[in-house]
Amino acid sequence: MITRTANRTDAAAEFKTHERIERNGVLTDGIGLALAKIERRRPLSAIARKAFLQLPHRRCIVSKHTELMRAGDRPNESIFLERGMLGRSKFDDAGARQIVSLHVPGDMVDLQSLMFEVADHGISAETDSVVLYILHREILALTDCFPEIRRALWFDTLVDAALYREWTLNVGRRNAMTRVAHLLMEIGYRLEEAGMGRRDAFSFRMSQVGLADATGLTPVHVSRVLSRLKTEGILRWHSSGEVEIPDWDNAAKVVGFEPDYLHVEGPRG
Amino acid sequence: MITRTANRTDAAAEFKTHERIERNGVLTDGIGLALAKIERRRPLSAIARKAFLQLPHRRCIVSKHTELMRAGDRPNESIFLERGMLGRSKFDDAGARQIVSLHVPGDMVDLQSLMFEVADHGISAETDSVVLYILHREILALTDCFPEIRRALWFDTLVDAALYREWTLNVGRRNAMTRVAHLLMEIGYRLEEAGMGRRDAFSFRMSQVGLADATGLTPVHVSRVLSRLKTEGILRWHSSGEVEIPDWDNAAKVVGFEPDYLHVEGPRG
DNA sequence: CGAAGTTTTGAGGACCTTCAAAAGTTGTGG
DNA sequence: CCACAACTTTTGAAGGTCCTCAAAACTTCG
C-alpha cells in the first residue's frame, strides 16, 4: 500500500510541445486518440473536428509514480493520456491509497475537475506515460462554441461516473478473486476499444501494489489471488506485463463482467 | 442484503401534479429545493431562474423500497427528490446489492442518465419519498437555452462523480466503524446544506439493511458497529430514526471526514 | 554494486461473514 | 382492533477471507 510521497510534478520531462503524431493517416497522439474515442460514440462535424484537433497543448513524458496532480491543487489544465496508464486516487486518514479509476490512452483524464477550484483527488502515473496538458479555458472555449463537443465532453464525464459506480460495486461486494479479475477484464476491454491491443491479450505494466490500491486489497493478497487465477485458468499475467485471458466468455461469466456500464454506444438524442 | 425484487414502479401514487409548495415565500417543492442547491453555488439570472422554476413535472409519492428505475430501463425522465431518501444501486452476479450513492431532498437524482440510452443502475426509494419526474427533453432544452443552467447541471453531475469517488474510498479502505460513521456524517452534512436538519442531529429513516448495502457490509455487522459507535460516544441512532453526533469535530477527526469532496463552494470561472 | 522497489511465501490473527434464532417492530386483512 | 405475516434488529457461535508481520528471492535503477 503506497502512502503519500513528496514527488514533484515538475519531475516530468517536457518535449516536442506541439508536434503531431500520425501513422497511416491516423492521428495517434493524445488529441487524435481522444477525438477517435469521441467519434466512436458519434462523429463530429468537420469544423468541430478541426477545432478539436487544434487544441493547444504541451506534451510531457512522465515516469511511473509521478504525481501529476494532488488533492488540494488548483489545476488550470486538463490531462489527455497518450501512452501508458494513469490512476486517480484518494487517501484515507492513515495514508492508505485507493485508486478510484484507471485511465488508458485516449482518455481525457481530468475533465472531472474542469469546473472545480480545488482538486479533491490526485492523479499519478501508474506506468511510464506520455500525457498532454490542455488549459481548462481552451476546453471551455471549445464547449462554448460547439454544442456537439460540449455534449461529447459532458457525456464523457458521465461515463467516468458510470465507471466509478461499477468500481464501488467491485470493492464493495465482490470477493478478491472476482474483484481483481473484473478490473483486469475492464482494462482489457477499454484497451481494445482504444485500439491498444486485444481485450484477451494486452499489456498491463502496473505493479501489483497499484493493483492492490485499485481493488482495496493488500499487495500480498493480490499476489496470492493472481496465482490462483492462473492455476484456475481464468487469466495469466506474465512477468513481461502481458495479460492473457484464454477463455473470455467463460471468464466474463465467472466474474460477472458485463461491459454495459462502459457505454461504448455513445450519447443519444 | 436485499436481492432484486419484482416491485413495479407504477405502484407509485401520483398526485397534485403541478402544484407548487411554498413556505414563508420560499419554494420548498422539489424544483425549488433543486434551484436553491444550484443557487447556493452560484445565483442564476432572473430569467434563467424563472425558466427553471417552470420546468414541467409530475409529482409522485412513493413508498419505501419502490424501484423507480432499474438497470436496463430506457428512461426519458429525470427524478428530482422532494422528500425522503433515494438510493442508487447496482447488483453483482449473486444478487448482492451495492448502493453507490444516497440522495437527499433537492438532489437532481438522475441527471446521470440524461444522455444514456440504457440505464446501468437502479434507483429506489430507501424511505417513503416524494419525487418529481421531469422529461429529459425539457431539461436538455433548458441547457440549450441557458448556458448558466447548463454549467450548473454539468457541475452537479461532476459533484455526484466526486461523491462516487469518496464512496469507493469508503468501501475500499475504511474499516466498518469509520465506514458507517463516515457515511452518516456525509448524510448529515448534506441534509444541513439542503436545509433539512442539523448535521449533528438529523432524521435518517433508512433501514440497517440499506445502510449495509451502502457500506458493503452485512446487516448483522452494521448492527454491531452501530452499537459500538454508541458506546464509544461517537454517534447515536435512535429507534425513532434520529441520528445524533454529540461531538462533531471529534467524530470528524476520528472518522477522517473532510467535506471538501462535496464541493459546496460551487463552480469557478 | 548497492539501494530501492517488487513479488512470493509462510505463519498467525483480526475483521467481518455466515448461520441461526429470538425479540421487537411494522403492516395488512379480517 | 386484533391477529398474523413480513420485516427489522439484536445476539451468539463458528468459520473464512483477507490482513499483518516477517523474511527471502527477484528485479530495476542509479
Side-chain angles (χ1 to χ4, degrees), chain B residues 185-203:
Chain B
M185 294 188 76
E186 175 189 306
I187 296 298
Y189 195 96
R190 288 167 61 195
L191 283 171
E192 180 172 300
E193 282 297 315
M196 307 298 289
R198 286 164 43 191
R199 62 187 178 183
D200 59 352
F202 57 93
S203 174

Side-chain angles (χ1 to χ4, degrees), chain A residues 90 120 136 166 263 268, chain B residues 90 120 136 166 263 268:
Chain A
K90 302 194 66 148
D120 58 43
H136 283 158
E166 184 68 27
H263 294 281
R268 65 162 175 203
Chain B
K90 301 193 66 150
D120 59 43
H136 284 157
E166 184 69 26
H263 294 280
R268 66 165 175 202

Side-chain angles (χ1 to χ4, degrees), chain A residues 156-207:
Chain A
D156 195 75
T157 61
L158 292 176
V159 174
D160 274 347
L163 293 190
Y164 296 151
R165 288 194 288 269
E166 184 68 27
W167 279 48
T168 303
L169 172 64
N170 207 35
V171 297
R173 287 303 187 198
R174 284 196 256 263
N175 63 28
M177 289 280 284
T178 52
R179 203 186 295 183
V180 169
H182 192 281
L183 187 143
L184 288 171
M185 295 188 75
E186 176 188 307
I187 295 298
Y189 194 97
R190 289 167 61 194
L191 283 171
E192 181 172 298
E193 282 295 314
M196 307 299 287
R198 286 164 41 192
R199 62 187 178 182
D200 59 353
F202 56 93
S203 173
F204 186 77
R205 302 186 174 285
M206 220 168 89
S207 74

